[in-house]
Amino acid sequence: MADDTTPLPADLQARLERLMEVVALASLGEFEEAQAHFSASPEDSLGMVEEGLRIFIGELRASHDERARTMDALQRAKDEIEQKLALIEAQRLQIRELSSPILDIWEDVLAVPLVGVIDEPSMLDVTEKLLQRVVATRARWSLVDLTGVDGVDAATADHLLRLARAVALIGGRCIFTGMGPAAAQTLAALGTTSGDIHCLPNLREGLRHCLAARTPRR
């Protein structure tokens, strides 16, 4: 059976091949190069297809550029948020460090002035740092001052007791100073006895007690 397919005219074949190349370039995101392949086309049916494709690629390029700008803006916003979060975290650590410093106020005597709201994470942090300092300095006394503490709930009071016992286990002794009535009531409610903790009115009295109790090292 004879082949009835009639070959396309050379110019029409070239136009079709150019359109296929335009589509291929556009699919790869090469919009500028794709649009450069367009030229003045005859006002025929294929010319209308070419013009429609040119407009479509132009809109596709604009959409792609807008998407790229949006993604770039989102990335910049993400980077800015991460930088702010890192700054906030650094400030939080600095605030925690300042809110519970450990001071060498005398030979063998450390002071830990607590300030603000004392929650579980901060108490765990204080306990870890204090134990490390007691071991490193061989301090005998740790004066934990509660004058600047906003409040002591049952959980915080329990941590204070644990702190005193942990310091005792490594050869030191905790003295709590500046304890208010509310904190005292909370500790009493936990069944704390006088043997569990040693309390004095303020840091000055605490230091006097430590100096009076000191014995020369051999």
Side-chain angles (χ1 to χ4, degrees), residues 174-193:
C174 266
I175 296 178
F176 295 100
T177 63
M179 182 176 298
Q185 290 178 355
T186 303
L187 286 168
L190 292 177
T192 305
T193 65

Side-chain angles (χ1 to χ4, degrees), residues 17-182:
E17 290 177 356
R18 186 172 71 246
L19 287 179
M20 292 176 65
E21 187 173 359
V22 166
V23 172
L25 289 170
S27 67
L28 296 174
E30 303 291 340
F31 303 112
E32 185 173 353
E33 189 175 350
Q35 289 182 319
H37 279 65
F38 287 111
S39 58
S41 302
E43 296 183 358
D44 54 12
S45 297
L46 188 56
M48 295 176 63
V49 172
E50 291 177 338
E51 179 63 16
L53 184 59
R54 183 186 66 79
I55 294 173
F56 172 74
I57 291 177
E59 293 176 346
L60 189 62
R61 178 183 181 181
S63 176
H64 179 272
D65 292 344
E66 179 64 24
R67 179 177 178 274
R69 287 192 294 270
T70 300
M71 293 299 295
D72 185 60
L74 288 174
Q75 184 61 45
R76 289 198 304 271
K78 177 176 178 290
D79 293 341
E80 184 178 353
I81 290 173
E82 289 179 348
Q83 291 174 0
K84 289 182 178 179
L85 288 175
L87 177 60
I88 291 171
E89 178 63 16
Q91 291 174 339
R92 185 186 68 82
L93 293 176
Q94 289 177 355
I95 291 171
R96 173 174 289 185
E97 188 72 23
L98 291 173
S99 64
S100 56
I102 299 176
L103 310 174
D104 294 281
I105 62 172
W106 207 272
E107 184 182 356
D108 291 342
V109 183
L110 301 175
V112 187
L114 302 181
V115 179
V117 177
I118 306 300
D119 54 12
E120 181 174 359
S122 61
M123 279 304 304
L124 292 174
D125 184 63
V126 169
T127 301
E128 180 181 0
K129 291 180 179 177
L130 180 57
L131 292 178
Q132 291 175 352
R133 287 291 295 276
V134 170
V135 171
T137 63
R138 299 177 63 195
R140 296 179 179 179
W141 302 96
S142 298
L143 302 177
V144 181
D145 187 65
L146 305 176
T147 304
V149 175
D150 291 341
V152 176
D153 58 13
T156 304
D158 183 62
H159 279 297
L160 291 174
L161 293 176
R162 291 173 182 269
L163 172 62
R165 291 163 185 163
V167 171
L169 287 174
I170 56 176
R173 181 75 186 273
C174 266
I175 296 178
F176 295 100
T177 63
M179 182 176 298

